[in-house]
Amino acid sequence: MTDLSNEYEKILLVRLMNDSSLYYEHHNMLNVDLFDNVEHKDIYRFIESRIDAGDKVVDMLSVVKALRNKHEHIALTISEVMNFELTSTPFKNALLGLTEKKKFNDLGVLVNKIHAMLNRKDDVFDIITEAGKDLASISDISSEEIQ
């Protein structure tokens, strides 16, 4: 299976830059942890701050100005993000893809945590309780909510 997360990150960013209503519609599912790329994380944080300040559209020049001291190649990154402006992949598909990847990774962390607890011979009820709490946080958003 091809990992499309980098492309999905760019799709989310460009769509959020151009349409703040997507942020409000999906704010309970959007968060910086969906992004793996450090520059994308910072771009998302900037977009989020501008939308929270009331901007309807976030232009690429304001992103570059805000982040150029932190990231040497931010202008190139923004131009790559803007290349996804006309992609046919829907916003919801990109959001679902990134959400699924994050949940898969979080589940792997949980499995490793349970395995370590079992190896230490922790109390089985403690393991179940801890796993239940972690699993609840992983399953807080379902694919049906994104559709």
Side-chain angles (χ1 to χ4, degrees):
M1 183 172 163
T2 304
D3 183 8
L4 299 173
S5 59
N6 192 48
E7 288 81 6
Y8 287 161
E9 289 181 16
K10 292 174 185 176
I11 291 166
L12 287 187
L13 292 173
V14 73
R15 297 282 167 71
L16 289 170
M17 287 173 68
N18 292 328
D19 184 0
S20 63
S21 69
L22 291 169
Y23 175 78
Y24 294 115
E25 185 178 338
H26 301 285
H27 75 278
N28 62 324
M29 294 170 259
L30 290 166
N31 69 67
V32 73
D33 294 332
L34 290 175
F35 299 89
D36 289 333
N37 181 299
V38 174
E39 288 179 329
H40 294 172
K41 285 178 182 278
D42 286 339
I43 293 168
Y44 175 78
R45 285 184 187 107
F46 180 77
I47 292 168
E48 184 178 47
S49 73
R50 296 310 318 144
I51 291 173
D52 286 344
D55 292 357
K56 302 288 184 215
V57 174
V58 179
D59 67 277
M60 66 182 193
L61 291 177
S62 64
V63 176
V64 171
K65 285 179 185 176
L67 299 176
R68 67 179 168 209
N69 291 331
K70 189 171 184 179
H71 299 288
E72 183 179 351
H73 303 289
I74 195 67
L76 176 61
T77 302
I78 285 295
S79 68
E80 291 171 352
V81 166
M82 297 309 290
N83 282 332
F84 283 83
E85 191 167 19
L86 300 176
T87 186
S88 62
T89 303
F91 179 87
K92 288 182 179 182
N93 288 19
L95 180 57
L96 179 61
L98 292 176
T99 301
E100 285 179 345
K101 181 179 179 183
K102 181 175 180 339
K103 287 180 179 296
F104 185 81
N105 291 339
D106 290 349
L107 197 53
V109 169
L110 175 59
V111 167
N112 291 336
K113 180 179 178 180
I114 292 169
H115 187 259
M117 292 173 85
L118 288 168
N119 283 340
R120 288 191 311 261
K121 302 204 184 301
D122 289 2
D123 180 75
V124 71
F125 295 104
D126 290 343
I127 295 171
I128 292 169
T129 300
E130 197 66 29
K133 284 190 264 181
D134 289 354
L135 194 54
S137 71
I138 293 170
S139 63
D140 62 347
I141 297 172
S142 67
S143 61
E144 289 80 31
E145 291 178 69
I146 299 174
Q147 305 297 330

